[in-house]
Amino acid sequence: MTARDSRRIILDAIREHLAAGDAHEHAPHDGSSPRAPHGSLPVIAPDAVALLPTADMADLPAFFVARAEAVGGRCTRVRGAAGAALAVRAILADADARLVVSSGAPLVDHALGEPADPWRVRSAAELSRSDLFACDAGVTTAQWGIAETGTLVLESARERSRLASLVPPLHIALLSTRCIRATLGDVLAAVDPTLDGAITLITGPSRTSDIELTLAIGVHGPQSLHVVLIDDDSDANPGDFT
């Protein structure tokens, strides 16, 4: 069995599980126990916005921003590739970044392409895994966003995004608002199962409670996640995202 066959089997299994869960939600209820409204999830943080049913997600980008920020991410909404470049440079300047790794996506390279900037840019293809730990920030695109949870979906078959998004302490992700879907199931239905590579789901900065149940940020990945949401990306190549 090839890696492509395994990937297709896994995606099909997830889709079937989601479909079965949806059917269970709509089955007649005998009143023996309370059931959460369809599409609802537990509140992630005390100050998190209440999660609305998926049917009420009229503005998916705004819903995505609310959920992403509720779990500790930061979002900046801009217009076009030029606006994205300005936002990325402002974020890097604010973080005082000196060494930045690019995933190699054309849109990312465009955003990092000014030679006068105070940081050095290296491609993920040029760096060893140990070199990545010396980088201050990693910049990638995200192929999809899940509004329901504020989650980014990165497909490694599109670019060298995996280590660039997981190792440096700051991860900046460029996401087109037209690539935001309501739920995980909607994203999985859109993912091309014929592509090889890994799919990475990122919901907020890295966090763990492995040590004495004390919440720690940035132990297993970035301490900070900043999503640059791009509206009206007609000046960007559609292939830059999906």
Side-chain angles (χ1 to χ4, degrees):
M1 179 181 296
T2 67
R4 180 173 297 178
D5 292 334
S6 299
R7 186 172 188 269
R8 183 182 295 107
I9 291 171
I10 292 170
L11 288 174
D12 287 344
I14 294 173
R15 291 181 182 120
E16 290 175 6
H17 178 77
L18 289 171
D22 188 64
H24 175 73
E25 285 289 341
H26 288 88
H29 187 43
D30 60 8
S32 59
S33 62
R35 186 165 62 207
H38 176 60
S40 65
L41 288 175
V43 175
I44 298 173
D47 58 347
V49 283
L51 185 61
L52 300 176
T54 56
D56 292 335
M57 292 183 185
D59 186 344
L60 289 181
F63 204 97
F64 175 90
V65 169
R67 296 311 299 171
E69 293 185 344
V71 293
R74 298 181 62 188
C75 297
T76 300
R77 199 162 172 178
V78 301
R79 293 183 67 84
L86 291 174
V88 168
R89 292 167 193 164
I91 296 165
L92 291 174
D94 185 62
D96 196 26
R98 289 294 176 265
L99 183 58
V100 180
V101 57
S102 164
S103 64
L107 189 63
V108 171
D109 288 340
H110 169 74
L112 298 172
E114 292 293 330
D117 289 328
W119 48 80
R120 290 190 299 125
V121 178
R122 300 289 300 278
S123 168
E126 303 171 353
L127 299 178
S128 67
R129 295 187 178 185
S130 59
D131 290 336
L132 283 164
F133 283 93
C135 294
D136 300 305
V139 186
T140 74
T141 65
Q143 281 61 60
W144 306 100
I146 303 174
E148 187 176 52
T149 54
T151 299
L152 296 172
V153 181
L154 280 62
E155 298 181 59
S156 66
R158 307 289 186 179
E159 60 190 287
R160 293 179 178 270
S161 61
R162 194 173 186 198
L163 291 181
S165 69
L166 296 177
V167 175
L170 168 62
H171 176 208
I172 302 173
L174 308 181
L175 172 66
S176 169
T177 55
R178 61 186 171 85
C179 295
I180 297 176
R181 300 292 183 267
T183 67
L184 172 61
D186 294 333
V187 168
L188 291 177
V191 168
D192 184 353
T194 65
L195 291 177
D196 294 328
I199 296 177
T200 303
L201 305 181
I202 299 173
T203 307
S206 168
R207 62 187 67 207
T208 182
S209 298
D210 290 348
I211 303 173
E212 297 183 352
L213 300 180
T214 300
L215 179 64
I217 304 296
V219 175
H220 299 312
Q223 298 172 354
S224 301
L225 171 65
H226 205 130
V227 183
V228 178
L229 286 164
I230 306 174
D231 289 315
D232 187 27
D233 50 9
S234 57
D235 57 339
N237 185 339
D240 293 345
F241 296 99
T242 60

